[in-house]
Amino acid sequence: MKTYDKGGEDGQMPSANPPHVVVSAAPPMDINYLKWYNGAQTEVVDSSAIIQSTIKPNFTKGSPQLKDTPKFKNGRVIVNYYIPYYGDKTYLTYTDQKGDATHPLVGHATGRMFEVNAFYYFTADAKVTSYSYAGIVTFDYSPPDQATLNGTATLEKPSPNPIKLEGSKIDVKINVKGELLGYTDSSNIEEWVFYAKEKNSTGKADMKKDYSKQLAASKSFDFAIPASRVVNDNFKQDYTLTVVIRFKKPVVTKTGTITSLEQSMEVSAGVYKKDNPVSYPSVPSTPAKPEGKPPIARITAPKYIKAGSDMMVYGGISSDPDGYITDYGWGTPGAEGGIENTARGYIWYTRDKVGETFPITLTVVDNDGMTGSTSTEVTVIEPRPSADLEISGSLKQNRKTTLTNSSSSPTRFPIIKSKTQVTISAVSGGTNADIKYSGSLAELESKDVLFKKPGKYKATIHVENTAGYASDKEITFDIVPDEFPVAYFAMPIGAYRDPTNGNKAVISIDDMSFSSDKDNIIQRIWEYRYDSNNNGSFTDESWVQFSDENKTRLNLELYQVGRYEVRITVIEEFGQPTIEDFVTDADRLRTSSEATQNVIERIVEVNNRPPEVDWDF
């Protein structure tokens, strides 16, 4: 607290009128949790696309007691404002502060708190990917279309990394973040679970949970590297991190239902005694005597990368405690490509680097000209392709099921289509003859397949890339049966002929048939037969159709006295897409109420009304 003594203007003790002076304040300006919008203010821009060096605050308006326009410096808002006269309603009102009853000055001093408002917003430039195309365009990447967990682990301490050993230990802090992509039902999230431990340690992993219903969550873990462990000049401690998300109800994916998703990561913290094993990149010229607090550099990058694959390196989570980042200097020895003065970029490694580990270094500069540095490591692994198959559709008998080749390979070693081999075979329930598709499975990208019988089937894929590496994948899946519809209706068990209606008996019938597997009933055929010889049996009688218009409510008009049996036959149409070339009308299931309803409920008796008797004398 800074104090300045100035007497009141009314000569009283305590004074009722505080001095009418100008006061300066410098509250902090936090830019870590900004939400960015495009110029039209309609679409949210991801913070990773913001060019940190272009962030600028803009003053809009403030309280009337502001003496001048606020200034923005060193991460603070500099405001100069007048203390108002007592009772001056043109200025912001003050709040009397209640003092400590035990204080010796109680009754001799009055405290007041004055507030001032300054409204401001930030503008910045952003590198946002946009597309403009015509005709047919293919993309190497498509956003997830099903629940996908993206996990990141960021080393926040030591900073810089590696750090020189000074003292009895080195503090380590790691932030683990999970983000759910391709899924929006946050209410179905049961919990987020985070694990962290030293790699190869026999101890139990540290666990933290988050029960918030958010599509993203994060937790930080603290470790320490004791000085006794640093036996060499260049020591490295590896950590394994895991993020898990669990769902309340199973989530349907292309490969079946899941109740949780999990992803593991690794980070390393380095310590040296004498000579730093990495060299940090040069940065733009800085002031000779920078002021303020230095920024904290942070890097997010994979621990392993396949040769020939583009790898994104991200430094946008770097921060400055009293300002903002203006410049980024990257060091990527051994890598192809380069990263300019931006928060993120892409690099890749050639095939001859397989098995080697390379440092990635970052130096950031803040608006005061101060710098902060850190580093991480990436190990180059074989450019082996990843064979993968996805099965989608209703996975139901006589329905269209789509088999998609979702294999991937490093960008510079693409998959050779002519060497892609795919097979589909029956495991149980059906036979290979029950698998129907047009053409062949050679060079498969996507194929519509139909299974004539329910059962368990498997599909295999073999892929090879231009680097000479191969990969195989097998998936098994179940084709569920097409369920027969249930035929059922309700009607009275008896009726009388009505003399006022041509001696007709009108039977009101309500259909309650349904499909248990969400198919569509497209036709209802109504029939009856009459026990003409009154022998109590209908087997010697013929059926008479009285409606085939798919009616669910109708009247049956009968003239003869006696017993009638009614039945309904319901016919389904596929409620999911099919392949017409491989199905016939016989594949559309049908059910008669004779199979699903008690005969007693299907018989109605028609009678004459008894005569009315009256007498008089």
Side-chain angles (χ1 to χ4, degrees), residues 142-160:
S142 59
D145 58 357
Q146 63 179 7
T148 304
L149 178 60
N150 180 43
T152 56
T154 305
L155 184 70
E156 297 186 349
K157 290 182 180 180
S159 181

PDB file of all heavy atoms in Angstrom, residues 142-160:
ATOM      1  N   SER A 142      -9.781 -34.649 -41.791  1.00  0.00           N
ATOM      2  CA  SER A 142     -11.177 -34.290 -41.583  1.00  0.00           C
ATOM      3  C   SER A 142     -11.433 -34.273 -40.091  1.00  0.00           C
ATOM      4  O   SER A 142     -10.894 -35.102 -39.346  1.00  0.00           O
ATOM      5  CB  SER A 142     -12.112 -35.287 -42.271  1.00  0.00           C
ATOM      6  OG  SER A 142     -11.887 -36.588 -41.771  1.00  0.00           O
ATOM      7  N   PRO A 143     -12.249 -33.336 -39.604  1.00  0.00           N
ATOM      8  CA  PRO A 143     -12.526 -33.261 -38.174  1.00  0.00           C
ATOM      9  C   PRO A 143     -13.179 -34.549 -37.689  1.00  0.00           C
ATOM     10  O   PRO A 143     -13.849 -35.244 -38.456  1.00  0.00           O
ATOM     11  CB  PRO A 143     -13.494 -32.075 -38.071  1.00  0.00           C
ATOM     12  CG  PRO A 143     -13.268 -31.282 -39.317  1.00  0.00           C
ATOM     13  CD  PRO A 143     -12.919 -32.275 -40.367  1.00  0.00           C
ATOM     14  N   PRO A 144     -12.986 -34.906 -36.430  1.00  0.00           N
ATOM     15  CA  PRO A 144     -13.591 -36.126 -35.903  1.00  0.00           C
ATOM     16  C   PRO A 144     -15.110 -36.082 -36.037  1.00  0.00           C
ATOM     17  O   PRO A 144     -15.736 -35.057 -35.758  1.00  0.00           O
ATOM     18  CB  PRO A 144     -13.161 -36.116 -34.425  1.00  0.00           C
ATOM     19  CG  PRO A 144     -11.958 -35.231 -34.370  1.00  0.00           C
ATOM     20  CD  PRO A 144     -12.168 -34.202 -35.424  1.00  0.00           C
ATOM     21  N   ASP A 145     -15.699 -37.195 -36.472  1.00  0.00           N
ATOM     22  CA  ASP A 145     -17.153 -37.279 -36.578  1.00  0.00           C
ATOM     23  C   ASP A 145     -17.728 -38.231 -35.540  1.00  0.00           C
ATOM     24  O   ASP A 145     -18.883 -38.633 -35.635  1.00  0.00           O
ATOM     25  CB  ASP A 145     -17.571 -37.715 -37.986  1.00  0.00           C
ATOM     26  CG  ASP A 145     -16.968 -39.057 -38.377  1.00  0.00           C
ATOM     27  OD1 ASP A 145     -16.181 -39.609 -37.581  1.00  0.00           O
ATOM     28  OD2 ASP A 145     -17.294 -39.553 -39.468  1.00  0.00           O
ATOM     29  N   GLN A 146     -16.924 -38.602 -34.555  1.00  0.00           N
ATOM     30  CA  GLN A 146     -17.398 -39.401 -33.441  1.00  0.00           C
ATOM     31  C   GLN A 146     -16.575 -39.018 -32.215  1.00  0.00           C
ATOM     32  O   GLN A 146     -15.586 -38.287 -32.313  1.00  0.00           O
ATOM     33  CB  GLN A 146     -17.263 -40.892 -33.738  1.00  0.00           C
ATOM     34  CG  GLN A 146     -15.836 -41.356 -33.939  1.00  0.00           C
ATOM     35  CD  GLN A 146     -15.745 -42.847 -34.207  1.00  0.00           C
ATOM     36  OE1 GLN A 146     -16.736 -43.526 -34.365  1.00  0.00           O
ATOM     37  NE2 GLN A 146     -14.534 -43.366 -34.225  1.00  0.00           N
ATOM     38  N   ALA A 147     -16.996 -39.487 -31.053  1.00  0.00           N
ATOM     39  CA  ALA A 147     -16.328 -39.111 -29.804  1.00  0.00           C
ATOM     40  C   ALA A 147     -14.842 -39.466 -29.856  1.00  0.00           C
ATOM     41  O   ALA A 147     -14.470 -40.621 -30.022  1.00  0.00           O
ATOM     42  CB  ALA A 147     -16.994 -39.807 -28.629  1.00  0.00           C
ATOM     43  N   THR A 148     -13.993 -38.443 -29.730  1.00  0.00           N
ATOM     44  CA  THR A 148     -12.542 -38.609 -29.799  1.00  0.00           C
ATOM     45  C   THR A 148     -11.898 -37.808 -28.676  1.00  0.00           C
ATOM     46  O   THR A 148     -12.246 -36.648 -28.454  1.00  0.00           O
ATOM     47  CB  THR A 148     -11.997 -38.122 -31.150  1.00  0.00           C
ATOM     48  OG1 THR A 148     -12.664 -38.817 -32.211  1.00  0.00           O
ATOM     49  CG2 THR A 148     -10.500 -38.365 -31.251  1.00  0.00           C
ATOM     50  N   LEU A 149     -10.974 -38.416 -27.955  1.00  0.00           N
ATOM     51  CA  LEU A 149     -10.293 -37.737 -26.861  1.00  0.00           C
ATOM     52  C   LEU A 149      -8.937 -37.243 -27.329  1.00  0.00           C
ATOM     53  O   LEU A 149      -8.116 -38.016 -27.826  1.00  0.00           O
ATOM     54  CB  LEU A 149     -10.125 -38.687 -25.672  1.00  0.00           C
ATOM     55  CG  LEU A 149      -9.388 -38.111 -24.456  1.00  0.00           C
ATOM     56  CD1 LEU A 149     -10.112 -36.897 -23.897  1.00  0.00           C
ATOM     57  CD2 LEU A 149      -9.206 -39.169 -23.387  1.00  0.00           C
ATOM     58  N   ASN A 150      -8.704 -35.947 -27.166  1.00  0.00           N
ATOM     59  CA  ASN A 150      -7.418 -35.349 -27.489  1.00  0.00           C
ATOM     60  C   ASN A 150      -6.751 -34.926 -26.180  1.00  0.00           C
ATOM     61  O   ASN A 150      -7.277 -34.093 -25.441  1.00  0.00           O
ATOM     62  CB  ASN A 150      -7.611 -34.130 -28.396  1.00  0.00           C
ATOM     63  CG  ASN A 150      -6.282 -33.479 -28.747  1.00  0.00           C
ATOM     64  OD1 ASN A 150      -5.318 -34.167 -29.053  1.00  0.00           O
ATOM     65  ND2 ASN A 150      -6.227 -32.164 -28.687  1.00  0.00           N
ATOM     66  N   GLY A 151      -5.616 -35.523 -25.880  1.00  0.00           N
ATOM     67  CA  GLY A 151      -4.908 -35.210 -24.639  1.00  0.00           C
ATOM     68  C   GLY A 151      -3.596 -34.508 -24.913  1.00  0.00           C
ATOM     69  O   GLY A 151      -2.900 -34.828 -25.877  1.00  0.00           O
ATOM     70  N   THR A 152      -3.249 -33.549 -24.058  1.00  0.00           N
ATOM     71  CA  THR A 152      -1.970 -32.848 -24.152  1.00  0.00           C
ATOM     72  C   THR A 152      -1.351 -32.737 -22.764  1.00  0.00           C
ATOM     73  O   THR A 152      -2.064 -32.550 -21.777  1.00  0.00           O
ATOM     74  CB  THR A 152      -2.119 -31.441 -24.751  1.00  0.00           C
ATOM     75  OG1 THR A 152      -3.062 -30.690 -23.967  1.00  0.00           O
ATOM     76  CG2 THR A 152      -2.600 -31.492 -26.191  1.00  0.00           C
ATOM     77  N   ALA A 153      -0.052 -32.864 -22.700  1.00  0.00           N
ATOM     78  CA  ALA A 153       0.686 -32.696 -21.450  1.00  0.00           C
ATOM     79  C   ALA A 153       1.735 -31.617 -21.661  1.00  0.00           C
ATOM     80  O   ALA A 153       2.522 -31.684 -22.609  1.00  0.00           O
ATOM     81  CB  ALA A 153       1.343 -34.008 -21.034  1.00  0.00           C
ATOM     82  N   THR A 154       1.728 -30.608 -20.804  1.00  0.00           N
ATOM     83  CA  THR A 154       2.617 -29.464 -20.949  1.00  0.00           C
ATOM     84  C   THR A 154       3.486 -29.307 -19.706  1.00  0.00           C
ATOM     85  O   THR A 154       2.972 -29.276 -18.579  1.00  0.00           O
ATOM     86  CB  THR A 154       1.813 -28.170 -21.162  1.00  0.00           C
ATOM     87  OG1 THR A 154       0.941 -28.341 -22.283  1.00  0.00           O
ATOM     88  CG2 THR A 154       2.749 -27.002 -21.432  1.00  0.00           C
ATOM     89  N   LEU A 155       4.792 -29.221 -19.923  1.00  0.00           N
ATOM     90  CA  LEU A 155       5.731 -29.005 -18.823  1.00  0.00           C
ATOM     91  C   LEU A 155       5.771 -27.517 -18.495  1.00  0.00           C
ATOM     92  O   LEU A 155       6.200 -26.701 -19.313  1.00  0.00           O
ATOM     93  CB  LEU A 155       7.118 -29.511 -19.213  1.00  0.00           C
ATOM     94  CG  LEU A 155       8.196 -29.448 -18.130  1.00  0.00           C
ATOM     95  CD1 LEU A 155       7.903 -30.475 -17.045  1.00  0.00           C
ATOM     96  CD2 LEU A 155       9.579 -29.677 -18.729  1.00  0.00           C
ATOM     97  N   GLU A 156       5.306 -27.151 -17.306  1.00  0.00           N
ATOM     98  CA  GLU A 156       5.303 -25.744 -16.887  1.00  0.00           C
ATOM     99  C   GLU A 156       6.531 -25.396 -16.041  1.00  0.00           C
ATOM    100  O   GLU A 156       6.986 -24.262 -16.043  1.00  0.00           O
ATOM    101  CB  GLU A 156       4.022 -25.449 -16.112  1.00  0.00           C
ATOM    102  CG  GLU A 156       2.748 -25.625 -16.951  1.00  0.00           C
ATOM    103  CD  GLU A 156       1.504 -25.197 -16.219  1.00  0.00           C
ATOM    104  OE1 GLU A 156       1.594 -24.959 -14.996  1.00  0.00           O
ATOM    105  OE2 GLU A 156       0.445 -25.086 -16.854  1.00  0.00           O
ATOM    106  N   LYS A 157       7.048 -26.357 -15.313  1.00  0.00           N
ATOM    107  CA  LYS A 157       8.290 -26.218 -14.556  1.00  0.00           C
ATOM    108  C   LYS A 157       9.090 -27.489 -14.755  1.00  0.00           C
ATOM    109  O   LYS A 157       8.519 -28.570 -14.859  1.00  0.00           O
ATOM    110  CB  LYS A 157       8.014 -26.025 -13.056  1.00  0.00           C
ATOM    111  CG  LYS A 157       7.398 -24.700 -12.668  1.00  0.00           C
ATOM    112  CD  LYS A 157       7.223 -24.641 -11.149  1.00  0.00           C
ATOM    113  CE  LYS A 157       6.600 -23.347 -10.689  1.00  0.00           C
ATOM    114  NZ  LYS A 157       6.431 -23.295  -9.220  1.00  0.00           N
ATOM    115  N   PRO A 158      10.419 -27.427 -14.848  1.00  0.00           N
ATOM    116  CA  PRO A 158      11.242 -26.225 -14.724  1.00  0.00           C
ATOM    117  C   PRO A 158      11.163 -25.322 -15.948  1.00  0.00           C
ATOM    118  O   PRO A 158      10.847 -25.786 -17.039  1.00  0.00           O
ATOM    119  CB  PRO A 158      12.650 -26.795 -14.575  1.00  0.00           C
ATOM    120  CG  PRO A 158      12.588 -28.112 -15.301  1.00  0.00           C
ATOM    121  CD  PRO A 158      11.215 -28.639 -15.044  1.00  0.00           C
ATOM    122  N   SER A 159      11.422 -24.083 -15.733  1.00  0.00           N
ATOM    123  CA  SER A 159      11.473 -23.100 -16.805  1.00  0.00           C
ATOM    124  C   SER A 159      12.691 -22.224 -16.567  1.00  0.00           C
ATOM    125  O   SER A 159      12.756 -21.509 -15.557  1.00  0.00           O
ATOM    126  CB  SER A 159      10.209 -22.237 -16.812  1.00  0.00           C
ATOM    127  OG  SER A 159      10.238 -21.311 -17.862  1.00  0.00           O
ATOM    128  N   PRO A 160      13.690 -22.276 -17.440  1.00  0.00           N
ATOM    129  CA  PRO A 160      13.716 -23.036 -18.695  1.00  0.00           C
ATOM    130  C   PRO A 160      13.926 -24.526 -18.458  1.00  0.00           C
ATOM    131  O   PRO A 160      14.222 -24.946 -17.343  1.00  0.00           O
ATOM    132  CB  PRO A 160      14.906 -22.426 -19.439  1.00  0.00           C
ATOM    133  CG  PRO A 160      15.822 -21.977 -18.351  1.00  0.00           C
ATOM    134  CD  PRO A 160      14.923 -21.485 -17.253  1.00  0.00           C
TER     135      PRO A 160
END
